[in-house]
Amino acid sequence: MSRIIFHIDVNSAFLSWSAVQRLKDGENVDLREIPSAVAGDGQSRRGIILAKSTPAKKYGIQTGEPTGMALQKCPELVCIPPDFPLYSRSSEKMFQLLGEYSDRIEQFSIDEGFLEYTGMEALFGPPLEAAKTIQQRIFTELGFTVNIGISCNKLLAKMAGELEKPNKIITLFPDELEKKLWPLPVSELFMVGRRTAPKLRKMGIRTIGDLAKYPTDLLVLEFKSFGMTLHAFANGMDDSPVAAATEVHEIKSIGNSTTIAYDVTDRETAHRILLALAETVALRLRGSKLCAQEIAVTLKTSDFQVYSHQKQLLNAIDCTNAVYETAIEVFDHAWKGEPLRLLGIRAGKLCDEGCVQLSLLEPDWSKQKKADAAMDQIHMKYGKDTVKRSTFAGSEEKAYEGGKLKINNRIL
């Protein structure tokens, strides 16, 4: 039996959820019907547009652009601060509702997920009928709209949901590829990013259809194994399963980044910011009882160019100093000297802390780990700002960077 997969995606999620809550609180104006956005502080470099209304799109406002730039395009733009606890609650309610229609649901992000509908027709009717019921229930009971893409695999279901917005139900089955998918620019294909698209265009591949018909061996020559993935995706092939609920929460990496309120132009300042990020990442590793075998550093320049480098480790780490020293080694190798507006650290290739073995080829962090454990106990009891390194005394940089820390279900 052919599989039936739904992809459910909330339309302008953060803005929609905020709008619904404000209407419940008695406001008369629906943020979705006026130029509005969920945004950070416009007076700070940290302020960016996180979500915008459909009327705001008419002014050319883009998600991710600085709030100040958006206000220049539309001075009457209504900006509201993000409310992440609200978004978490709204997301949870939606996935609870989806759980009434299948026990096979994969949360892809806070505002989108996949639902395996295969075999559920006897209970809830044909796929289109069930999708309409789900879409209407979400709007009636929760107050916001969603797009639902329907296909025989996750890739095509997700691509279907992107074809037209908002509040649409769209199918994209293999016999519809030539009409609906192949005419689209190749940059619209899932997994084709800003670096891959220009390379494809240089090869004369401008549409997804061009990519679908391009010789696989030439794609492999240019992109290695990723070339086979590109060719498969362009032809609508994907056999990945919808993850069971127990698989959804598996942690694959732990990372934090920070947008800096000024351009960083010297190595000493960059190292200090990386130390603050290392404190946060290492604390999260230890709180999750995990260790990392890879440390990656992300850099964003003042002209918004982003690049990252990583290092594989012989022995897995969760020690703050170990994360920090690896991060500055990666940073010093990667940084080209440009002014920086964002730095990030990501710990990957995670394993259980009990699997770590000592290695004669790696530094002995045992004393530092004892110090980390003592500091962690203080932080858990009294908060993360009670103890900090002398490096940050009188410094503009925070001792812990990258947002709020949530360890053992407690925000520090």
Side-chain angles (χ1 to χ4, degrees), residues 112-247:
E112 62 176 314
F114 297 98
L115 183 153
E116 176 95 41
Y117 192 70
T118 312
M120 306 303 289
E121 292 89 342
L123 293 175
F124 304 111
L128 272 173
E129 181 180 316
K132 289 177 182 177
T133 301
I134 291 171
Q135 187 184 60
Q136 185 59 46
R137 280 194 62 194
I138 290 174
F139 179 70
T140 302
E141 298 175 25
L142 304 180
F144 53 87
T145 63
V146 297
N147 261 42
I148 300 181
I150 306 174
S151 190
C152 57
N153 61 47
K154 288 162 62 177
L155 167 73
L156 291 181
K158 181 171 175 58
M159 293 297 301
E162 300 291 336
L163 291 176
E164 186 181 354
K165 292 184 177 182
N167 200 28
K168 301 292 183 181
I169 298 173
I170 304 172
T171 64
L172 183 59
F173 288 96
D175 61 356
E176 299 177 288
L177 296 185
E178 188 171 355
K179 178 181 178 181
K180 292 183 177 181
L181 186 67
W182 285 358
L184 298 177
V186 71
S187 58
E188 297 292 317
L189 182 65
F190 181 65
M191 291 291 286
V192 175
R194 288 181 294 179
R195 292 185 178 182
T196 304
K199 291 181 181 179
L200 290 171
R201 285 193 287 266
K202 283 184 180 180
M203 298 167 67
I205 301 172
R206 302 194 175 280
T207 67
I208 297 177
D210 293 338
L211 179 58
K213 300 168 187 174
Y214 205 82
T216 310
D217 55 345
L218 296 181
L219 290 171
V220 171
L221 189 65
E222 176 67 28
F223 298 102
K224 304 296 188 286
S225 61
F226 185 51
M228 297 183 66
T229 300
L230 290 172
H231 191 265
F233 280 9
N235 282 281
M237 293 185 288
D238 171 34
D239 59 0
S240 59
V242 174
T246 54
E247 298 173 300

Side-chain angles (χ1 to χ4, degrees), residues 20 35 39 107 156 164 190 227 248 271 314 321 334:
V20 170
Q107 185 170 347
L156 291 181
E164 186 181 354
F190 181 65
V248 170
H271 283 188
L314 293 174
N321 278 17

